[in-house]
């Protein structure tokens, strides 16, 4: 017998349709699914200097989603998550512009040796318990390196690596062309690898961080 | 783009490091969560209430409107009934006013009819026989009589103004004046009012004695009819109380011709009413209207009642039987002027009533 689908089994798009129809529990589920990831994205895009406005951007993003729920018309199987991050990104960019921080520098360094990076680092696939501290420190170092990136490159990196958006979805969120999105992402990776010491022995770089 | 290139755009080491970043457990606060969720719940509540509240409000408005409509309907029905009763026969032709085809003016019967309520209000005593005769004459055809043109200064081309009033000539028939004085209706006694015209009236006496025609100074409206009435009443009461009542009355009547008065012309009111060659008056009334003209005359102290007639009757009234104001005849018989004259007289009578309240 087929199991009956519960509300929790519904996709984001189905829940959103239910919410538009007046089901408040559908929204509660949607919110629970995406609240933390969205909060982290907003926090990292704004950076440490604008951490005080993270809650405001987060709240405004969800409220705008509620207000615009009847205008949500997904096209070409567009995901709900893409729309949600689009609202949040636009709000965050507004805050960044008001703060005067650098938003976009669509230029980067020359291509590094991407294939040669991370050779001396532990493998990223398997994690040994004794390596947890190492990766914790690597993560701390990475946040510092992200602070040095322009906001749009930082956003491109986060959307692709943290939130799993495809390049096509990123074009919608970042409101940029496909090649622009690729360029931004490539530049972000080069800078981060350099910053993280991807070509160096990891333990020494991590300790210095 | 090749798959390999696309894979190069995702760095697993960086991704793993990101998963172990210190803020990987960052989450919104409970307060923030509640704020967002409450906002969404409220939005849905408003959405639900919108159509429901609209339906409910429509129902409520309908209920409220019912009693209002009931009241309005009753009012409309009442008005309809009133209108239907008002126009009992809507087919009757509209009566058009026509110009009188006789010398008798339209104003006279109108004046007579309007005068009657005033007479009832003030409970005038029975009018003497000769006055009854006089009233009858007003309704009859006018009796041609040699016109007694006023000897006052010509005012035909002068604007009717307070200061332009002239002194009426000496009464030609003093006996007739005495009769009128004796049979004058008793007016309720009013407290005598000191009038600034007293000094002017003294001057009039002196000047009248010297037969000097002097234009009256601009009279101040301070002694309206009551003062005249009080003078008349006091004179009449004295005449009644004193032994030689008739003689005293005659004397007082003579004095009245020269005594103080708010209207200098009233002091000589015993003179026969004359047919005024008063084109200026006619023009003024036609221009400003009867009521406005009456207001001007009242302010000037020129209290009079106008009669339209081309000739003075055989026994014309010198004073209006209601107000006691001087009667003046106007040689004109146009219907339009008759309306204005009626308005003028009504204003004069209203003033009289106001002063006697």
């Amino acid at each position: 017998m087929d199991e009956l689908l519960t509300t929790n089994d519904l996709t984001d798009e189905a829940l959103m349709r239910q919410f538009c129809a007046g089901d408040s529990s559908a929204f509660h589920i949607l919110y629970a699914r995406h609240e933390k990831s969205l909060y982290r994205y907003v926090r990292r895009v704004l950076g440490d200097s604008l951490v005080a406005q993270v809650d405001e951007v987060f709240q405004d993003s969800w409220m705008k989603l509620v207000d615009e729920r009847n205008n949500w018309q997904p096209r070409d199987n567009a995901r709900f998550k893409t729309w949600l991050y689009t609202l949040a990104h636009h709000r965050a960019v507004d805050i960044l512009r008001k703060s005067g921080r650098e938003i976009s520098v669509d230029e980067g360094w020359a291509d590094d040796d991407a294939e040669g990076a991370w050779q001396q680092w532990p493998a990223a696939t398997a994690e040994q318990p004794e390596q947890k501290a190492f990766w914790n420190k690597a993560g701390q170092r990475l946040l510092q390196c992200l602070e040095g990136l322009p906001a749009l490159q930082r956003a491109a990196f986060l959307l692709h690596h943290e939130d799993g958006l495809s390049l096509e979805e990123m074009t919608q969120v970042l409101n940029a062309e496909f090649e622009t999105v690729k360029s931004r992402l490539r530049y972000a990776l080069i800078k981060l690898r350099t910053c993280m010491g991807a070509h160096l022995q990891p333990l020494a770089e991590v300790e210095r961080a | 783009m090749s798959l390999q290139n696309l894979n190069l755009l995702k760095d697993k080491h960086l991704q793993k490091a990101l998963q172990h970043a210190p803020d990987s457990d960052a989450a919104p606060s409970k307060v923030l969560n509640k704020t967002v969720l409450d906002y969404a719940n409220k939005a849905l509540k408003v959405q639900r209430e919108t159509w429901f509240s609209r339906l409910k409000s429509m129902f409520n408005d309908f209920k409220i409107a019912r009693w209002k409509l009931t009241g309005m309907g009753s009012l409309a029905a009442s008005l309809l009934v009133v209108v239907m009763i008002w126009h009992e026969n809507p087919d009757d032709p509209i009566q058009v006013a026509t110009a009188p085809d006789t010398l008798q003016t339209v104003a006279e019967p109108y004046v007579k009819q309007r005068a009657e309520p005033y007479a009832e209000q003030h409970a005038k005593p029975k009018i003497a026989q000769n006055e009854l005769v006089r009233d009858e004459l007003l309704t009859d055809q006018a009796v041609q009589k040699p016109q007694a043109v006023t000897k006052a200064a010509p005012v035909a081309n002068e604007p009717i103004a307070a200061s332009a009033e002239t002194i009426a000539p000496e009464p030609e028939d003093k006996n007739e004046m005495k009769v009128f004085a004796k049979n004058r209706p008793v007016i309720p006694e009013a407290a005598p009012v000191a009038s600034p015209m007293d000094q002017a009236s003294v001057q009039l006496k002196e000047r009248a004695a010297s037969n000097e025609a002097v234009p009256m100074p601009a009279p101040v409206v301070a002694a309206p009819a009551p003062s005249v009435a009080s003078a008349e009443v006091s004179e009449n009461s004295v005449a009644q109380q004193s032994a030689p009542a008739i003689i005293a009355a005659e004397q007082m009547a003579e004095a009245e011709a020269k005594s103080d008065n708010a209207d200098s012309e009233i002091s000589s009111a015993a003179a026969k009413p004359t047919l005024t060659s008063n084109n200026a008056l006619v023009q003024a009334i036609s221009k400003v209207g009867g009521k406005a003209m009456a207001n001007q005359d009242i302010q000037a102290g020129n209290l009079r009642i106008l009669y339209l007639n081309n000739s003075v009757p055989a026994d014309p009234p010198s004073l209006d039987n209601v107000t006691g104001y001087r009667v003046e005849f106007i040689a004109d018989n146009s219907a339009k002027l008759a309306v204005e004259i009626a308005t003028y007289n009504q204003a004069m009578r209203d003033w009289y009533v106001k002063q006697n309240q």
Side-chain angles (χ1 to χ4, degrees):
Chain A
M1 177 182 291
D2 294 333
E3 292 181 355
L4 293 174
L5 288 176
T6 63
T7 307
N8 288 330
D9 298 328
L10 295 177
T11 61
D12 291 343
E13 293 70 30
L15 289 171
M16 188 62 189
R17 282 191 289 270
Q18 284 191 350
F19 172 57
C20 293
D23 186 1
S24 61
S25 63
F27 178 82
H28 289 202
I29 297 172
L30 274 174
Y31 182 81
R33 286 183 184 178
H34 299 283
E35 59 164 326
K36 291 183 181 179
S37 60
L38 186 67
Y39 190 83
R40 283 197 300 273
Y41 172 76
V42 171
R43 182 187 174 91
R44 290 168 179 174
V45 165
L46 292 178
D48 292 338
S49 60
L50 296 174
V51 67
Q53 292 177 293
V54 172
D55 287 1
E56 177 187 348
V57 173
F58 178 82
Q59 177 180 307
D60 291 347
S61 303
W62 282 104
M63 287 183 174
K64 189 166 179 64
L65 182 143
V66 171
D67 294 338
E68 299 288 333
R69 63 189 183 280
N70 294 322
N71 298 331
W72 180 62
Q73 296 176 351
R75 295 177 296 178
D76 300 330
N77 296 324
R79 295 196 295 165
F80 161 81
K81 187 174 183 178
T82 305
W83 185 46
L84 174 62
Y85 276 76
T86 301
L87 297 175
H89 176 78
H90 290 172
R91 187 71 183 97
V93 169
D94 291 340
I95 297 297
L96 287 167
R97 286 203 174 101
K98 289 179 182 178
S99 68
R101 289 192 60 182
E102 181 185 24
I103 296 179
S104 174
V105 176
D106 288 333
E107 62 184 17
W109 302 335
D111 277 344
D112 60 346
D113 181 13
E115 294 181 355
W118 312 113
Q119 295 298 323
Q120 301 183 43
W121 279 60
T125 53
E127 179 178 330
Q128 303 298 325
E130 61 274 12
Q131 292 176 340
K132 185 175 182 181
F134 169 81
W135 287 111
N136 289 343
K137 287 189 177 179
Q140 187 175 2
R141 174 67 178 174
L142 179 58
L143 290 182
Q144 295 172 356
C145 294
L146 282 172
E147 285 288 325
L149 286 181
L152 293 182
Q153 293 179 7
R154 185 164 65 243
F157 170 79
L158 292 170
L159 289 172
H160 194 55
H161 288 77
E162 172 77 12
D163 303 297
L165 269 66
S166 65
L167 294 178
E168 290 77 11
E169 291 173 332
M170 288 167 59
T171 58
Q172 181 179 348
V173 175
L174 300 176
N175 193 25
E177 297 293 332
F178 185 84
E179 292 300 325
T180 303
V181 172
K182 280 200 315 181
S183 299
R184 288 179 185 171
L185 185 58
R186 187 165 57 248
Y187 293 146
L189 291 175
I190 293 172
K191 291 177 183 178
L192 288 175
R193 288 180 188 134
T194 304
C195 181
M196 290 292 289
H199 299 282
L200 301 175
Q201 192 173 36
L203 289 175
E205 291 300 315
V206 169
E207 284 175 1
R208 275 199 292 274
Chain B
M1 191 174 185
S2 64
L3 184 62
Q4 182 181 5
N5 290 336
L6 286 174
N7 289 336
L8 290 175
L9 292 176
K10 181 169 281 186
D11 192 306
K12 293 185 182 302
H13 285 81
L14 292 175
Q15 190 173 26
K16 190 171 181 69
L18 193 60
Q19 292 172 358
H20 289 82
D23 63 350
S24 59
D25 293 332
S29 63
K30 292 182 179 179
V31 174
L32 186 54
N33 290 339
K34 186 177 185 306
T35 302
V36 173
L37 294 176
D38 288 346
Y39 187 84
N41 292 338
K42 186 178 179 182
L44 291 181
K45 185 179 180 183
V46 170
Q47 176 180 324
R48 280 192 296 269
E49 286 182 348
T50 301
W51 68 267
F52 179 72
S53 61
R54 266 192 269 126
L55 182 65
K56 191 177 179 183
S57 64
M58 283 172 60
F59 180 72
N60 287 337
D61 289 344
F62 177 71
K63 283 200 303 186
I64 293 173
R66 279 176 64 183
W67 69 266
K68 285 184 179 177
L69 286 175
T70 303
M72 289 173 62
S74 301
L75 180 62
S78 303
L79 288 174
L80 181 62
V81 170
V82 169
V83 169
M84 290 174 64
I85 296 175
W86 190 272
H87 296 284
E88 292 182 349
N89 188 357
D91 294 333
D92 286 340
I94 298 174
Q95 296 181 358
V96 179
T98 56
D101 55 358
T102 62
L103 290 177
Q104 287 292 332
T105 64
V106 177
E108 291 180 355
Y110 170 80
V111 167
K112 188 175 189 307
Q113 292 172 4
R114 291 302 301 269
E116 290 175 355
Y118 290 98
E120 293 173 358
Q121 286 180 8
H122 293 281
K124 302 248 184 265
K126 288 187 177 178
I127 302 175
Q129 184 64 31
N130 56 349
E131 296 221 356
L132 287 176
V133 172
R134 183 184 65 196
D135 289 338
E136 289 176 359
L137 285 175
L138 291 177
T139 59
D140 294 336
Q141 293 289 332
V143 176
Q144 294 295 328
K145 191 176 183 182
Q147 297 184 0
V149 182
T150 178
K151 294 181 182 176
V155 294
N157 294 323
E158 296 177 358
I160 304 300
S163 59
E165 294 299 328
T166 59
I167 303 175
E170 290 286 336
E172 294 181 2
D173 187 355
K174 295 190 178 179
N175 291 331
E176 187 175 344
M177 180 191 69
K178 292 175 190 175
V179 169
F180 278 111
K182 183 170 67 177
N183 295 309
R184 191 171 302 108
V186 177
I187 299 173
E189 183 176 356
V193 178
S195 168
M197 290 298 295
D198 290 345
Q199 293 183 353
S201 63
V202 170
Q203 292 180 0
L204 277 177
K205 293 179 188 178
E206 296 174 354
R207 287 170 181 169
S210 62
N211 289 328
E212 183 180 349
V214 176
M216 278 295 298
V220 176
V221 182
S227 65
V228 178
S230 64
E232 294 178 354
V233 169
S234 62
E235 292 169 357
N236 286 331
S237 61
V238 170
Q240 292 172 2
Q241 293 173 1
S242 61
I246 296 175
I247 298 174
E250 293 177 355
Q251 292 176 351
M252 287 179 187
E254 289 180 357
E256 185 186 357
K258 309 170 186 177
S259 65
D260 55 317
N261 200 328
D263 186 347
S264 60
E265 288 190 292
I266 295 179
S267 63
S268 57
K272 275 188 178 177
T274 57
L275 182 64
T276 306
S277 168
N278 45 16
N279 290 333
L281 175 59
V282 171
Q283 291 176 3
I285 292 178
S286 300
K287 182 179 179 182
V288 302
K291 188 171 184 180
M293 193 66 215
N295 290 336
Q296 289 181 15
D297 286 348
I298 290 172
Q299 290 181 0
N302 185 16
L303 305 178
R304 56 185 173 181
I305 299 296
L306 302 178
Y307 282 3
L308 282 178
N309 205 333
N310 280 330
S311 62
V312 179
D315 190 11
S318 58
L319 299 176
D320 182 62
N321 61 346
V322 173
T323 62
Y325 293 169
R326 182 184 85 261
V327 172
E328 189 170 320
F329 287 83
I330 295 181
D332 198 303
N333 62 353
S334 63
K336 181 179 179 182
L337 184 63
V339 174
E340 296 299 334
I341 293 297
T343 306
Y344 178 97
N345 292 336
Q346 184 60 45
M348 283 289 177
R349 291 198 166 87
D350 290 344
W351 171 257
Y352 171 79
V353 171
K354 184 179 177 182
Q355 295 302 314
N356 284 279
Q357 286 179 347

